[in-house]
Amino acid sequence: MATAPRETLIILGAGGDLTSRLLLPGLASLLASSRGTRMALIGVDREPMTDAAWRKRVRSAFTAAPSEAGDSVASSSHYLQGDATSAEDLQRAIDAAEGRIVLYFAVPPAIAAAACAALASVTLPPGLVLALEKPFGTDLTSARSLNRLLQTLVPEEQVFRVDHFLGKSTVLGVLGLRFANRLFEPLMSAEHIERVEVVFEERLGLEGRAGYYDHAGALTDMIQSHLLLVLALVAMEVPSDLSSEVLRGDMVQLLRAVRPWKHDGTQSRRARYTAGDVDGRSLPSYLQEPGVDRTRATETLAEMAVAVDNWRWAGVPFILRSGKAIGSPRQEVIITLKPVPHLPNGFTGPTRDARIRIGLNPPVLDMDLAVNGGADPFKLEWETLSAEFEASELSAYGEVLAELLEGDPTLSVRGDVAEQCWRIVAPVLAAWRRDAVELDTYQAGSANPRGWSQPLA
């Protein structure tokens, strides 16, 4: 007699790009790892598909990380044709599952919100986990409304607002550097830090995602939903422990102190890529990408400066930047230190300030030290100490699914955290809507539009 699965993962939007490109390969990496678990998989979407066709799709996605557990899950997986916003179809999917159920909304935000509303008419099993992709809502008002709805369905600890950008290895890597090393924590304040930059750039262009991205743009897609959370980890106070409640509580306490550098949101920049070559590949202008609405002022590169109004960080600008089609992309946190109060007369100082660089991908640490030059011992030069961190055995979505199936909400974005992120970017979005900030252009494959060479703040 077959053993019943401990968990069932139900994917709403099983036929979509997110499922095939990220979710299923992430599940494969989990099943092939030491954290693999006995589970079942059900796909749900509106398009008709047989179980055999669905299993073929699952096996195809699993080829990157083959395993015996993956073969077992793929062979027993089922597909249900249904509408994610239909209470009847949702009930049918839940009734087909065994064990603890994770309901993953791999659908656009508006459909996810409608599906949650439909769940109010569904008999929900104990322990049901709801996993929602970013962006969580479309603004502060909609995020609050969705939070209130979710509170009527399941407890907060059973709601996972997914941020694959913050894998556990990334989170613990940043926290370990800050709080397990006596060298770093005393430096992390306005007394020593000139500015902090959180940067996520990529070579990829739109890649067929106009349906989502053209309504979001770089600010909402990355800064609002990802980079502000990295900022919280870099700037938060020392937590008493790493439990999910303490960690997420300290993150939201930090975010409550964050505001745009200028209250009107104009200390920001936005731009959109034009045609060019990126890493040997030709990209069309963003406006020529399939599905793009030329009347929308969607940005593909965004920067905003924020202040943290507390004792530790008063006066230090934090610069958040994200962009697509960048020729030499960076994914890192750069902490620029202030110059020493007095350099002894006779020394010739370095031409720039010292930096601590925390690489997010790949995970590395670089730290500048001023040392005497070989030819002229009075001339100081920067030498960089570097360390590489061991990468996680799981992909980013593998880590997300592991936490979902294990019921650990540490990587979930808590409801009040999501609301704070929308509050912080709201003045910038408003400034852009009234054209108070010019929409610049940059050639795909370049680093910046003209005039962006100087730091934003």
Side-chain angles (χ1 to χ4, degrees), residues 9 14 51 59 127 184 193 212 230 270 299 309 379 412 441:
L9 173 64
D51 277 350
R59 288 192 185 94
F184 288 106
I193 303 301
Y212 159 70
V230 176
R270 58 177 176 156
E299 80 287 351
D309 289 334
K379 181 180 180 180
S412 167
T441 60

Side-chain angles (χ1 to χ4, degrees), residues 26-37 65-67 69 393-395 398 402 406:
L27 180 58
S29 83
L30 170 61
L31 294 172
S33 75
S34 60
R35 297 173 68 181
T37 183
S67 67
E393 66 173 329
L394 299 178
S395 68
E406 293 167 6

